[in-house]
Amino acid sequence: MALLRITCTRILYTSPATSIRRRGVEAKVIAGEMAPQPDPHLRSMLIRAHGWARDLKAGVQLMEIARRESVPGAFIRTRAQLAFLSPKI
């Protein structure tokens, strides 16, 4: 059951299915039971990281992968570690 209380200076609305999540200076109000959606950028990066890890295991040089992807070697070196994340998270 939602509760609405109004005073002179503020309006307070509480509901068991509402939560507020802070992100830096922004606040995001989450209402109801929302199913989480996968982040498309993270998903894409995980797929790329698995491909890079597979290439590295096959003996392809890191700089060759970086040239093929048009990114610095450090980018591949740091992002390839995503391939080893636990699937439970």
Side-chain angles (χ1 to χ4, degrees):
M1 183 173 114
L3 173 70
L4 181 62
R5 185 174 41 190
I6 301 174
T7 64
C8 303
T9 57
R10 66 182 179 174
I11 297 174
L12 177 64
Y13 177 78
T14 50
S15 171
T18 304
S19 67
I20 296 178
R21 294 187 184 169
R22 295 247 177 239
R23 253 181 96 170
V25 294
E26 298 174 359
K28 186 176 183 182
V29 176
I30 309 296
E33 299 296 324
M34 294 178 54
Q37 297 296 317
D39 183 340
H41 180 72
L42 178 60
R43 186 176 181 273
S44 169
M45 191 55 63
L46 285 169
I47 291 168
R48 291 173 70 187
H50 278 277
W52 299 334
R54 188 173 37 253
D55 288 347
L56 290 169
K57 287 178 187 177
V60 179
Q61 294 292 317
L62 185 130
M63 291 311 293
E64 186 179 327
I65 298 170
R67 266 193 301 279
R68 182 181 69 213
E69 298 282 332
S70 302
V71 295
F75 183 86
I76 302 292
R77 195 175 305 110
T78 56
R79 273 42 169 226
Q81 296 173 14
L82 292 172
F84 304 102
L85 285 174
S86 170
K88 294 180 182 178
I89 61 170

